[in-house]
Amino acid sequence: MSAPANAVASSAATSEPYQAPAGLADVSVASTTVSDVLGRLGFYHYRGYNAVDIARRGRFEDAWHLMLRGELPTTEQRDAFTGETSALRQLPPGVGELLPSIARLSGPGSLESVRTAVSLAAQAIGCKPWTDQSQDLTRAQAEQISAILPTLTAQLYRLATGQEVVQPRADLGYAANYLYMITGEEPGERSTYAVERYLMLTIDHGFNNSTFTSRVIASSGADLGAVISGAIGALSGPFHGGAPARVFDMLDAIGSPDNAEPWLRHAIEHGEKLMGFGHRIYKTIDPRSQLLHEVAQELHSERVGFAEHVEKTAVALLAELKPGRELYANVEFYAGVVLEAAGLPREMFSATFACSRVVGWMANVLEQVRDNRIFRPLARYVGPEAPREFPAFWQPGQA
Ligand code: COZ
């Protein structure tokens, strides 16, 4: 039943809704107490605390407690929280048996297999639409999903590479246990330190694409399995969390320091985006990249010297060929250098990102649940004027 012409014309006559810019650039769509990014200052925080400072001197469990329970923990609280969450790392009954089939259908480290597995795991722990359960139960599920995602990710990787799965250990910290489940060996202090810095730096970052996605899905009342699957889907895109491995592909393609300038110049002049550079909000150095650069130097990664040369060359060329866009290295540029030096394979970079960002997604979803209104924006229709006359071959009511 098509709308009568006068109804369509009159609705168009009412005040025009606000038309947001493409990508919702510089548009605030909600209020939050979880995190924020002050792009001009090169600063971001978790619930008001400088996130880089927390990453420099804290443990992953400190940031996790802050994000999901609302406050930095005392040492006693952190130890208790670590004990509680370490016990949640085991997969729910029935999920482990499904992983070999899922792993066979995708490559090692694929976020597609992780999002499939975690969606099933969420059902196995009883996730229901949050509207049909208490907020306490939703928070408990949020903590359990955050705890089992590394186990799922590591076991899928081992299966996809023809290795026996490694069960989580409750006596290792979050980062050490993650490395242990992937490599099968207890990691050294330096590798653990490096991965823990990376995980803490990437827990959340304002209303980034995947965090916003998690809130949009949660706003419909959907269960946490739906939320986490959608958020991982958003993260997998090359313009978001799919970038770190592509930075390595770029470094490999450049190959040698003297090829950096011609290769990068050609790429920018041909409209390609350099992986690991640019950011919607940071128009100065990404502070996460700065700390990861320091960690890469401390690890004496053999790649760091070459990466530094590529960064310097790229920033200069972007300033020359894209003047005024203020394009610098973002978190992804040194992420791969650090994770590779810590013993993680390239195909695991994005999945590792998901294992930290899940804490940010869950913190945002719990906030959305506490004060929800379903996201349902408009879109400006720019197609042929409605209502249109039906073509002669297609008349309403024709048999
Ligand atoms: N390399 C080359 N040019 C870039 C660029 C990059 N990495 N990032 C942005 N630009 C250019 C764009 O081509 C565009 O130029 P014009 O004004 O000539 O059109 C301008 O800078 C603005 O770009 P855009 O509007 O796309 O920026 P936006 O803020 O929407 O996107 C992201 C930011 C991060 C998506 C960036 O563009 C990007 O794709 N970076 C590479 C992928 C990456 O590292 N992602 C991880 C982000 S943490």
Side-chain angles (χ1 to χ4, degrees):
M1 173 72 173
S2 60
N6 59 349
V8 173
S10 63
S11 69
T14 50
S15 61
E16 273 300 298
Y18 164 67
Q19 184 64 27
L24 294 179
D26 302 322
V27 172
S28 173
V29 295
S31 301
T32 182
T33 62
V34 176
S35 73
D36 195 19
V37 184
L38 305 182
R40 290 275 165 215
L41 305 178
F43 167 74
Y44 76 114
H45 62 84
Y46 298 150
R47 297 195 187 280
Y49 297 107
N50 185 318
V52 174
D53 288 348
I54 296 177
R56 278 190 193 280
R57 56 178 290 258
R59 302 300 307 275
F60 183 84
E61 287 81 359
D62 288 317
W64 192 2
H65 187 283
L66 171 63
M67 295 299 259
L68 290 196
R69 298 200 178 174
E71 272 309 329
L72 276 174
T74 62
T75 305
E76 295 72 27
Q77 288 170 327
R78 182 187 68 193
D79 294 345
F81 182 69
T82 301
E84 287 171 45
T85 51
S86 305
L88 299 175
R89 292 170 180 167
Q90 291 294 343
L91 298 184
V95 174
E97 297 90 313
L98 300 174
L99 299 190
S101 303
I102 295 171
R104 265 195 297 279
L105 292 172
S106 51
S110 96
L111 280 175
E112 294 71 19
S113 59
V114 174
R115 76 170 185 247
T116 303
V118 76
S119 180
L120 295 168
Q123 299 316 301
I125 65 176
C127 291
K128 299 277 185 297
W130 57 262
T131 49
D132 302 343
Q133 57 184 40
S134 71
Q135 290 192 13
D136 282 348
L137 177 56
T138 301
R139 183 173 62 76
Q141 292 168 348
E143 288 178 359
Q144 188 172 3
I145 286 174
S146 317
I148 61 176
L149 192 63
T151 307
L152 282 171
T153 301
Q155 293 198 1
L156 285 165
Y157 171 74
R158 299 278 295 185
L159 290 165
T161 50
Q163 305 177 81
E164 289 296 311
V165 299
V166 174
Q167 294 304 325
R169 284 176 44 180
D171 61 320
L172 295 176
Y174 191 96
N177 175 60
Y178 179 63
L179 279 169
Y180 168 69
M181 293 189 294
I182 289 170
T183 64
E185 294 164 14
E186 201 165 311
E189 274 187 31
R190 278 153 54 101
S191 299
T192 300
Y193 171 82
V195 170
E196 189 163 41
R197 290 334 16 98
Y198 170 80
L199 291 170
M200 293 177 77
L201 284 169
T202 51
I203 278 179
D204 202 32
H205 204 239
F207 256 47
N208 62 85
N209 180 275
S210 54
T211 290
F212 182 42
T213 300
S214 69
R215 292 187 75 135
V216 168
I217 296 173
S219 76
S220 77
D223 70 276
L224 292 191
V227 167
I228 186 89
S229 312
I232 292 176
L235 185 77
S236 66
F239 294 145
H240 189 14
R246 292 170 186 252
V247 170
F248 261 46
D249 296 343
M250 179 177 75
L251 295 178
D252 288 348
I254 292 171
S256 64
D258 56 14
N259 190 37
E261 206 278 353
W263 193 96
L264 292 164
R265 180 179 292 277
H266 179 273
I268 300 168
E269 286 176 341
H270 286 74
E272 292 170 33
K273 285 195 169 172
L274 306 184
M275 292 293 115
F277 291 90
H279 197 277
R280 173 66 61 79
I281 296 175
Y282 285 127
K283 297 312 173 191
T284 179
I285 306 285
D286 182 334
R288 302 168 297 174
S289 176
Q290 273 182 314
L291 178 52
L292 288 174
H293 184 181
E294 288 171 30
V295 172
Q297 289 169 324
E298 287 162 19
L299 286 171
H300 306 303
S301 155
E302 72 277 359
R303 282 220 191 228
V304 71
F306 178 49
E308 286 168 343
H309 172 72
V310 169
E311 178 193 10
K312 189 164 169 260
T313 309
V315 169
L317 282 170
L318 287 166
E320 176 198 333
L321 301 172
K322 293 279 180 178
R325 277 63 156 210
E326 300 179 282
L327 300 166
Y328 301 92
N330 58 46
V331 64
E332 310 301 6
F333 186 73
Y334 284 104
V337 177
V338 167
L339 295 178
E340 181 198 54
L344 282 171
R346 179 181 313 194
E347 55 267 24
M348 284 300 281
F349 291 171
S350 293
T352 303
F353 192 172
C355 290
S356 61
R357 189 53 59 90
V358 61
V359 170
W361 298 331
M362 291 295 119
N364 275 274
V365 165
L366 294 177
E367 181 176 72
Q368 187 71 34
V369 162
R370 284 194 293 271
D371 179 16
N372 182 58
R373 186 171 189 205
I374 188 169
F375 281 95
R376 200 295 184 202
L378 299 172
R380 182 175 56 195
Y381 172 74
V382 294
E385 191 174 344
R388 297 174 64 183
E389 289 303 322
F390 287 99
F393 64 84
W394 201 105
Q395 286 303 316
Q398 250 176 345

